[in-house]
Amino acid sequence: MASTFTKIVAAVVVAGAAGLGAAYALTAPDPQPESHWANLGNPDLANGEQLFWAGGCAGCHAAPGAEGDALKIMSGGRALPSDFGTFHIPNISSDPQAGIGSWSLAQFGNAITRGVGPKGEHLYPSFPYGSYARLAPKDVNDLFGYLKSLPASSNVAPAHDLPFPFNIRLAVGGWKFLYFDDTPRVALANPSEQVKRGQYLVEGPGHCGECHTPRNALGGFEAGAWLAGGPNPEGEGRIPDITSGSEAIGAWSEDEIVNYLETGFTPDFDSVGGSMVEVQKNIAHLPKSDLEAIAAYLKAVPGR
Amino acid sequence: MRIKILAASAVALCLGFGSAFAAEPQVDRQAGMKAIGGSMGALAAIAKEQKPFDAEAVKAALTTISTSAKAFPDQFPVGSETGHDTEASPKIWENPSDFRAKALKLAADADAVLASAPTNVAGVMNAMQTLGAECGQCHQTYRLKR
């Protein structure tokens, strides 16, 4: 007959193992089922290009300083500084070895919407899959088709330069458990079709909240402050509030917001600056109806 | 027309006196940036056909852009990195030659447009696209905020 002590030890071991198992189950990479990516047919490359610009892929994945057609070569190589270390942006060109040319649609789709890499590993949320999670499967298919139609680059970017404990990919599972959320960021009462389109563009591919929403010490969005602005995650300066209650743009009309996104000029002809320069240039490729939808949505987002 | 020229000269004179007497380079350069912004606004009103095409107004706007841009390289001296709510990035003082080149390129491009002055709305639109893009290109690196 086992002693009381043995029983207690056994109970602790079992509870510990169960706890670890539960912790792993809660934080393991969680790709979509294969069926999610099935039967999507041939990609619509024109729509894929719209998503490419809406998503700002070139803003990170084009070579540093790229302009014009070079913005379509997804060679990677830029360094993205952050509070957690420096991320080196990978090659997502059509190159089968250095890029994503040999990936399946499921691999691409799980990377962009679930933060799960091609080997089933967690990806760091510097890649804004927390926003891209909202992409419709059809849009993912179209974007993947478009990316594969762009030129190949054999550039291999360095590994991320992250200090302990951020260099442990398993820990990203904990971050996802706490903060990964593909539900709407704000509840809108009776949104029009236009506002819904704007919500999709801003919260999904546009990933505007990744900079315009303040974060806590662990990199999660602060509650109740969606698009309310905050310190610049890449360094100096502040990112403005872009809600309807914004000091910076709250007084702008929807037309003025559209004009800013189209031309880079504010209503009083101040110009866009900082990281917003390339964001604006990317967004300017969208059809005017989409810019109008973005403006309508921003006007519907409550101030802090 | 004469009144407009007089008004433009008066404004230019005031700007000139302003920069002659102001001791703070931060204030001078902010006035220069605002003057360029105002000129872009004047060009945009014509490009968008909110105002009729006016060759003199176009010339005045281009001249202001050129003059203000030519002054920028000397309006960011060492010691003026902070103060007066400046939005100047420290990168200006890390890479002064590139900053200078970008300011002078804007001035040179404005002068080039002036040399073959736009004669219609399409010409103003072209000029705006060339010069407007340079605002963003320089601000991307050398301006904090936004």
Side-chain angles (χ1 to χ4, degrees), chain B residues 63-77:
Chain B
T63 308
T64 303
I65 293 171
S66 166
T67 318
S68 308
K70 276 179 192 140
F72 287 149
D74 300 321
Q75 288 176 330
F76 294 81

Side-chain angles (χ1 to χ4, degrees), chain A residues 75-77 88-91 155-159:
Chain A
S75 60
H88 292 281
I89 312 289
N91 181 333
N155 180 53
V156 177

Side-chain angles (χ1 to χ4, degrees), chain B residues 5-102:
Chain B
I5 295 171
L6 275 176
S9 318
V11 168
L13 270 176
C14 292
L15 284 176
F17 281 123
S19 53
F21 290 116
E24 307 289 354
Q26 297 92 327
V27 176
D28 286 349
R29 68 206 189 203
Q30 285 165 10
M33 297 287 174
K34 288 220 168 71
I36 292 180
S39 302
M40 292 303 292
L43 294 178
I46 293 171
K48 286 196 222 159
E49 306 197 46
Q50 291 162 345
K51 285 197 179 161
F53 178 81
D54 174 348
E56 292 303 319
V58 171
K59 269 187 205 163
L62 291 166
T63 308
T64 303
I65 293 171
S66 166
T67 318
S68 308
K70 276 179 192 140
F72 287 149
D74 300 321
Q75 288 176 330
F76 294 81
V78 172
S80 71
E81 292 87 340
T82 56
H84 297 276
D85 292 326
T86 186
E87 292 171 5
S89 164
K91 293 202 174 82
I92 290 174
W93 291 273
E94 287 165 19
N95 206 348
S97 58
D98 180 59
F99 178 73
R100 182 184 191 86
K102 283 197 162 66

Side-chain angles (χ1 to χ4, degrees), chain A residues 228-256:
Chain A
N232 179 1
E234 289 180 61
E236 302 132 331
R238 285 184 69 80
I239 308 286
D241 179 341
I242 53 169
T243 67
S244 57
S246 157
E247 263 182 50
I249 72 162
W252 297 9
S253 70
E254 288 183 29
D255 280 350
E256 286 171 334

Side-chain angles (χ1 to χ4, degrees), chain A:
Chain A
M1 181 151 172
S3 71
T4 310
F5 176 75
T6 317
K7 277 188 195 164
I8 292 172
V9 169
V12 167
V13 167
V14 168
L20 277 179
Y24 181 75
L26 288 173
T27 65
D30 183 24
Q32 296 279 9
E34 278 293 325
S35 60
H36 191 80
W37 308 113
N39 305 319
L40 290 165
N42 287 330
D44 170 351
L45 296 187
N47 184 50
E49 178 168 5
Q50 295 293 312
L51 284 151
F52 174 82
W53 295 119
C57 309
C60 278
H61 290 281
E67 281 180 36
D69 281 348
L71 283 170
K72 294 185 177 178
I73 306 173
M74 301 284 96
S75 60
R78 289 193 197 200
L80 181 67
S82 80
D83 289 346
F84 309 104
T86 299
F87 295 97
H88 292 281
I89 312 289
N91 181 333
I92 58 160
S93 78
S94 55
D95 189 278
Q97 273 82 45
I100 62 170
S102 59
W103 290 21
S104 67
L105 173 63
Q107 284 175 314
F108 177 77
N110 287 320
I112 194 168
T113 66
R114 308 297 292 180
V116 179
K119 299 187 194 78
E121 77 280 21
H122 283 305
L123 299 177
Y124 285 99
S126 47
F127 174 42
Y129 53 78
S131 293
Y132 296 156
R134 290 161 182 73
L135 284 171
K138 179 198 178 303
D139 281 350
V140 171
N141 185 41
D142 294 347
L143 175 60
F144 185 46
Y146 180 71
L147 286 174
K148 285 200 296 184
S149 77
L150 297 178
S153 157
S154 59
N155 180 53
V156 177
H160 297 323
D161 182 12
L162 306 172
F164 181 82
F166 306 117
N167 56 351
I168 301 176
R169 275 187 190 266
L170 213 56
V172 174
W175 185 91
K176 285 181 176 172
F177 174 68
L178 291 172
Y179 301 120
F180 182 83
D181 178 7
D182 59 5
T183 61
R185 300 291 191 191
V186 283
L188 300 168
N190 301 317
S192 66
E193 285 307 309
Q194 188 188 41
V195 169
K196 280 192 217 162
R197 173 69 181 163
Q199 181 165 33
Y200 179 72
L201 288 166
V202 170
E203 298 186 8
H207 67 283
C208 310
E210 303 283 345
C211 283
H212 284 283
T213 302
R215 293 173 186 270
N216 61 25
L218 289 175
F221 290 136
E222 275 179 33
W226 176 243
L227 301 182
N232 179 1
E234 289 180 61
E236 302 132 331
R238 285 184 69 80
I239 308 286
D241 179 341
I242 53 169
T243 67
S244 57
S246 157
E247 263 182 50
I249 72 162
W252 297 9
S253 70
E254 288 183 29
D255 280 350
E256 286 171 334
I257 295 175
V258 170
N259 190 60
Y260 172 81
L261 295 173
E262 216 174 10
T263 67
F265 283 106
T266 69
D268 55 357
F269 282 87
D270 197 343
S271 92
V272 60
S275 318
M276 194 62 199
V277 173
E278 57 191 30
V279 174
Q280 181 267 322
K281 279 193 217 157
N282 289 333
I283 296 282
H285 284 90
L286 297 185
K288 195 149 187 182
S289 58
D290 277 350
L291 302 183
E292 287 163 353
I294 290 171
Y297 165 75
L298 291 180
K299 284 289 174 194
V301 173
R304 191 175 196 171

